[in-house]
Amino acid sequence: MSDSDKPKKPQLIQPRTLKGFRDYLPESMIPRERLIQIAREVYRSFGFSPIDTPTLEYLEILTGKGSDETDRQLYKFQDHGKRDVGMRFDLTVPLARFVAQHINELGTPFKRYHIAPVWRGENTQRGRYREFMQCDFDTIGTLSVAADIETGLVINALLSAIGFERFTIHINNRQVLNGLLEKQGLSEQATPVLRSLDKLAKTGEDKVVAEMIATAGTTEEQARSVLTMATLEGTDQEILTQLKPLVRGSELGEAGVERLEQILAGLQSGGVPSERIKLDVSIARGLDYYTGAIFETFLDDLPNIGSVCSGGRYDNLAELYTKRQLPGIGASLGLDRLLAAMEELNMITKVKTPADVLVTYFDKGSLGKYLEIAASLRTAGIKVELYPDTKKLGQQLKYADARGFDYAIIAGEDELSRDALQIKDLKTGQSTEHLIANAATELAAIIKKADSH
RNA sequence: GUGGCUGUAGCUCAGUUGGUUAGAGCACUGGAUUGUGGUUCCAGGGGUCGGGGGUUCGAAUCCCCUCAGCCACCCCA
């Protein structure tokens, strides 16, 4: 038989995902959804409302602020109607468009949260993907310090609800930085100066000074004075005291310091433990549009992973799309970073099922009975899976074990003849017999008790 | 976008100076006289050695290209 006569193998397409794009298996999706669920509940508990916007926007909406970086990272193409479109690269630009378009219906202040994927065609690295989730919350249309404080309260509530106890919210105010720059005659070069300053923790003082001289054209003296302020140390109160003379004479700077004092006091009133708050004059965040309070949150046990929740105040969110000035403040939870951190800190229990209980399919003729049992358990709020085949009990339990179920229901002819079933605790291996009629309430109580531990 | 490192089974890797039918552990599927898992034992499925081209009698092994991953830089609106 020659090669050409051999039956051809069907040509298979290699299953693969695009660079920077990921599949999520149940094992990783379950903790992921849990985190998103917690974020939703916390946001809602502060009165933020959910919104969503389209994945695709007109290209001009997204490139409005255009820079080379935008071009490099934006996924863009022409749709079938020859329109130039792009995929959103963050949730802030769509929010700006959204409020410009709907602010009259929404009214101010407007508080929204938005949890959705965004796309950036940037180079991949650990923790940096081309498709990733953002979890933003923002308050639009108020300058009140109450909104600034609330942002910190939300961050505290979020991380606490997720299960973190040891974390620090670093707080700064761009006004202070800008006030100082104003005094130094560096207002024009604010952006490159702050961009350099933001690298302080990473590269060290001398390099930052060198970069400021090189890229922002400052004198060494100017650069040093910016650093003097940025490297102030001590308690929050001590830093505030040292800050005051440094900004004296700059209206902006003085207002900024006062604002910081109010925010710190407010967070305390709001119940945030003082060890979780740190006035940090060195954080600037690269983003140009921040004009007021700035937040970055670090895990005390894993500071190297970077900020897991950051944000800040901006003066004019939607200036590209409307004449109406809309100030606001918001922040974003770094979902991927947080999940990576939780994994590293062993805060994630590995399960492959969302269900609590596996109902084994034991006696072939009793499928109806098993369906009834499963239904009654669900009615009691228990998540239940019914095994679909009458395999040997040992194998069904093996399945339950491998997937991470906590309990199995076992009921063969013997139990069913007594209108009873066994609840087997898969962690301890012990089983108890219950009347079917009472099983749902009793199991719900058992689960509740186990959860509270 | 720039530079460096890596790529053998789903995962972690072994594979002698290029030499027959490419291996192990874990995982997966099934079984160990048909009502109880996480231990053990047995068996099985699964790999065009990332892909393409080249050198060679012969390539997982050497060369080129490409794709993907990791690290650093850039950047992070």
Side-chain angles (χ1 to χ4, degrees), chain A residues 252-273:
Chain A
L252 193 61
E254 287 180 17
V257 174
E258 197 188 326
R259 184 92 172 187
L260 273 176
E261 284 184 301
Q262 292 170 343
I263 294 172
L264 294 172
L267 289 172
Q268 199 160 22
S269 311
V272 184

Side-chain angles (χ1 to χ4, degrees), chain A residues 169-198:
Chain A
I169 306 173
H170 293 230
I171 300 173
N172 193 11
N173 189 344
R174 269 281 176 91
Q175 289 177 309
V176 176
L177 290 162
N178 289 334
L180 186 90
L181 293 179
E182 193 179 282
K183 270 186 80 173
Q184 293 291 327
L186 288 172
S187 294
E188 296 291 308
Q189 298 103 301
T191 303
V193 167
L194 294 182
R195 192 166 286 167
S196 305
L197 182 59
D198 211 27

Side-chain angles (χ1 to χ4, degrees), chain A residues 74-292:
Chain A
L74 194 62
Y75 278 102
K76 56 187 170 188
F77 54 92
Q78 281 200 333
D79 71 5
H80 297 328
K82 294 272 192 316
R83 281 171 284 256
D84 288 313
V85 300
M87 297 169 80
R88 61 170 176 237
F89 52 81
D90 72 5
L91 299 178
T92 307
V93 169
L95 172 64
R97 195 223 83 227
F98 179 92
V99 292
Q101 201 169 327
H102 302 294
I103 196 64
N104 291 330
E105 303 150 61
L106 298 167
T108 58
F110 171 59
K111 299 170 76 171
R112 71 91 233 225
Y113 70 89
H114 193 178
I115 300 175
V118 303
W119 295 268
R120 294 183 192 181
E122 67 183 331
N123 227 346
T124 55
Q125 250 179 61
R126 187 218 291 280
R128 295 179 80 169
Y129 304 96
R130 290 184 171 174
E131 177 181 61
F132 58 97
M133 199 64 103
Q134 289 199 329
C135 308
D136 284 23
F137 65 99
D138 285 83
T139 303
I140 311 293
T142 172
L143 290 165
S144 166
V145 73
D148 297 19
I149 294 164
E150 196 171 66
T151 300
L153 297 179
V154 171
I155 294 173
N156 179 58
L158 266 176
L159 289 171
S160 305
I162 291 165
F164 287 100
E165 281 165 16
R166 295 166 37 75
F167 57 89
T168 308
I169 306 173
H170 293 230
I171 300 173
N172 193 11
N173 189 344
R174 269 281 176 91
Q175 289 177 309
V176 176
L177 290 162
N178 289 334
L180 186 90
L181 293 179
E182 193 179 282
K183 270 186 80 173
Q184 293 291 327
L186 288 172
S187 294
E188 296 291 308
Q189 298 103 301
T191 303
V193 167
L194 294 182
R195 192 166 286 167
S196 305
L197 182 59
D198 211 27
K199 294 176 187 162
L200 183 61
K202 238 181 174 177
T203 63
E205 286 191 34
D206 291 341
K207 283 194 177 168
V208 170
V209 169
E211 190 180 315
M212 280 188 193
I213 295 170
T215 66
T218 68
T219 65
E220 167 137 17
E221 198 191 342
Q222 287 172 319
R224 291 282 174 201
S225 82
V226 173
L227 277 181
T228 305
M229 184 210 66
T231 52
L232 289 181
E233 281 177 16
T235 64
D236 293 353
Q237 271 314 317
E238 286 165 5
I239 293 175
L240 283 170
T241 314
Q242 298 173 70
L243 221 40
K244 281 176 185 167
L246 286 173
V247 297
R248 189 155 299 144
S250 160
E251 205 178 310
L252 193 61
E254 287 180 17
V257 174
E258 197 188 326
R259 184 92 172 187
L260 273 176
E261 284 184 301
Q262 292 170 343
I263 294 172
L264 294 172
L267 289 172
Q268 199 160 22
S269 311
V272 184
S274 62
E275 66 271 17
R276 288 184 182 169
I277 301 294
K278 182 173 166 50
L279 173 56
D280 179 352
V281 236
S282 72
I283 59 162
R285 308 218 10 92
L287 317 189
D288 294 352
Y289 59 68
Y290 287 125
T291 52

